[in-house]
Amino acid sequence: ASAFEAVPMAPTDPLFGLMAAYKADTFEKKVDLGVGAYRDDNAKPWILPVVKKADEINRNDPSLNHEYLPIAGLASLTSAAAKLVLGGDSPAISEKRVVSFQTISGTGAVHLGALFLAKFYPRPANQAIHVSDPTWVNHHQIFSNVGLPIKKYPYFASDICGLDWTGLTSALEAAEPGSVILLHACAHNPTGVDPTQDQWKAIAEIMKRKKLFPFFDTAYQGFASGDLAKDAWAIQYFVEQGFELCIAQSFAKNFGLYGQRAGCFHFVASPGAHAEDVTKRVGSQLAILQRSEISNPPIYGARIASTVLNDPALFKEWQDDLCTMSGRIITMRKALYDKLVELGTPGTWTHITSQIGMFSFTGLSEPQVQKLRDEFHIYMTKNGRISMAGLNTRNVEYVATAIDKVVR
Ligand code: PMP
């Protein structure tokens, strides 16, 4: 008999299950609004033109080989990544209060941060990390896998398909002092609902007063609004306010490097006499954790992102590519909204254009989602989240008409 007879069957990952069902569907007009990956107007994956160039440069560089990276990853990437998220002239960087590790994309960055906090963040036994309700589903698994209990704070108000401001601020006020709060820097997944800058300021005020510890997850910088600084505003504001914090940064969406698994984890120490020393010691422990988990991170996607981030001309082209992606998505939001209004579809749909980034939380119910799949071959997650990138000029009318039919 196996030693593992008692292992229970785990459910398959809902998102990857949805992708498989879509793939198996033979209907000509099927639509994939599930996966959070950018698609062009032909519903095809898009290799960013600047990434093609960086790829050429790297493949033709005779000085490059396939040796291991250092434990902390490609230094030219991690330093440029810190500047990207914190701002080039960030005092945190010049004061040597930042330590950065290249990770297995954003997921690996969240994991390395979770592991670090579980081991070194001083907290009462069983103190929870607070995540938004809802949040990226993987947050639950990543934090519980390292033994951090999870508590949810209210975030989404379904009656307005917007931010539950009272719920959010009350939960922060009530959180145990010292608690870690996971925040989405921009383009909140799955809701597409972000606090305004004034709301971020108020959140920072509460968190400072209650001594709460921010852990920012940034998976959509530049992809959300097309403006890199705007999408990093909340993080930079918190750093300016003197917070000590962690950042998990993904280059999957903004470079279209999904499968290359390029990302970074940053720890920023609060300013003070010992800041540089604390940062060094934290870095030394991160190196042990990283070594035991992955030894060292993968090289190729890191090289591509580094080439772009460190070359002013390529960086400029990248900003154009970010505008292409974010612009197309914003256009599709408008197109879907306009069509629903034109059809007189019951309900209000303004949230489709006010929400930001890859996703829209439509407010469609689970039975409506099922009907869209069964009758119209339109695939989305059960919670009514649609990936805006799955819409294009050819299918947006079909999708709007189908939504109109299922909500009536
Ligand atoms: N955090 C959030 C909020 C995300 O939406 C994603 C991507 N779905 C990630 C992290 C990490 O993705 P990846 O590991 O592909 O970078």
Side-chain angles (χ1 to χ4, degrees):
S2 166
F4 303 100
E5 295 289 349
V7 173
M9 190 65 170
T12 52
D13 187 277
L15 194 60
F16 283 75
L18 192 71
M19 284 159 68
Y22 170 80
K23 213 170 167 192
D25 190 330
T26 54
F27 184 65
E28 197 195 343
K29 286 166 89 175
K30 66 180 178 176
V31 181
D32 179 11
L33 303 179
V35 66
Y38 183 77
R39 299 289 177 256
D40 65 12
D41 199 49
N42 299 311
K44 292 279 182 290
W46 193 59
I47 302 175
L48 276 59
V50 76
V51 164
K52 274 196 181 145
K53 279 193 186 167
D55 183 34
E56 277 290 309
I57 292 168
N58 280 286
R59 275 190 290 118
N60 294 320
D61 184 341
S63 73
L64 296 180
N65 51 47
H66 299 295
E67 294 296 292
Y68 292 125
L69 280 176
I71 293 172
L74 187 66
S76 61
L77 173 71
T78 52
S79 61
K83 282 187 204 146
L84 183 74
V85 70
L86 297 172
D89 52 1
S90 171
I93 295 174
S94 56
E95 291 161 15
K96 301 192 167 65
R97 294 190 277 120
V98 185
V99 61
S100 305
F101 273 67
Q102 188 195 325
T103 55
I104 309 286
S105 208
T107 306
V110 177
H111 173 70
L112 183 62
L115 200 59
F116 168 69
L117 292 175
K119 246 186 129 150
F120 294 101
Y121 185 64
R123 62 193 173 95
N126 284 324
Q127 187 180 67
I129 166 153
H130 297 241
V131 303
S132 60
D133 181 19
T135 190
W136 182 44
V137 280
N138 214 11
H139 283 147
H140 292 276
Q141 299 176 129
I142 295 173
F143 289 105
S144 34
N145 281 347
V146 299
L148 289 175
I150 290 173
K151 224 178 187 164
K152 297 186 210 171
Y153 58 83
Y155 190 81
F156 187 71
S158 45
D159 53 340
I160 53 165
C161 286
L163 189 64
D164 179 358
W165 180 243
T166 315
L168 165 63
T169 49
S170 318
L172 293 177
E173 293 281 3
E176 212 179 315
S179 300
V180 178
I181 313 289
L182 189 96
L183 299 162
H184 297 227
C186 69
H188 183 273
N189 178 6
T191 68
V193 173
D194 286 350
T196 63
Q197 293 190 354
D198 280 340
Q199 287 172 327
W200 275 120
K201 287 180 184 169
I203 291 168
E205 186 279 316
I206 302 171
M207 288 186 62
K208 199 180 233 184
R209 181 158 43 76
K210 303 289 294 190
K211 300 191 164 38
L212 302 175
F213 184 96
F215 187 158
F216 276 100
D217 185 350
T218 176
Y220 302 93
Q221 189 183 352
F223 185 94
S225 72
D227 180 337
L228 288 160
K230 191 170 170 191
D231 292 347
W233 187 90
I235 294 178
Q236 294 180 12
Y237 179 77
F238 272 64
V239 172
E240 219 176 273
Q241 293 298 304
F243 279 93
E244 187 151 64
L245 50 80
C246 294
I247 302 166
Q249 180 185 35
S250 168
F251 293 122
K253 323 273 158 154
N254 53 10
F255 277 102
L257 284 172
Y258 305 90
Q260 290 293 347
R261 315 308 290 142
C264 285
F265 172 77
H266 310 274
F267 167 80
V268 182
S270 56
H274 303 289
E276 188 178 342
D277 193 39
V278 168
T279 307
K280 272 195 190 134
R281 282 183 274 133
V282 167
S284 73
Q285 293 296 345
L286 287 171
I288 306 262
L289 297 176
Q290 173 100 314
R291 174 87 170 110
S292 67
E293 296 266 313
I294 63 167
S295 264
N296 47 78
I299 202 164
Y300 201 70
R303 274 186 188 150
I304 290 182
S306 169
T307 300
V308 176
L309 291 174
N310 288 295
D311 180 301
L314 292 178
F315 191 93
K316 213 162 159 289
E317 281 186 44
W318 180 45
Q319 289 176 300
D320 294 341
D321 294 346
L322 286 168
C323 287
T324 300
M325 293 191 286
S326 57
R328 196 185 85 72
I329 285 181
I330 290 164
T331 306
M332 283 305 115
R333 285 186 183 277
K334 179 93 175 57
L336 179 60
Y337 173 77
D338 286 349
K339 194 69 206 171
L340 289 170
V341 169
E342 186 190 315
L343 293 167
T345 309
T348 46
W349 301 97
T350 46
H351 55 278
I352 290 184
T353 48
S354 61
Q355 292 171 351
I356 168 164
M358 183 79 87
F359 301 110
S360 178
F361 227 44
T362 55
L364 291 167
S365 67
E366 201 172 320
Q368 290 167 341
V369 169
Q370 193 62 44
K371 221 166 154 195
L372 282 167
R373 177 165 163 179
D374 295 343
E375 293 177 18
F376 298 95
H377 306 260
I378 297 171
Y379 291 76
M380 66 186 72
T381 51
K382 283 190 302 191
N383 56 11
R385 182 193 82 168
I386 61 178
S387 174
M388 298 308 301
L391 292 177
N392 55 54
T393 50
R394 269 172 290 272
N395 67 18
V396 66
E397 195 161 328
Y398 174 73
V399 170
T401 309
I403 291 176
D404 181 73
K405 288 196 175 125
V406 302
V407 301
R408 276 182 199 276

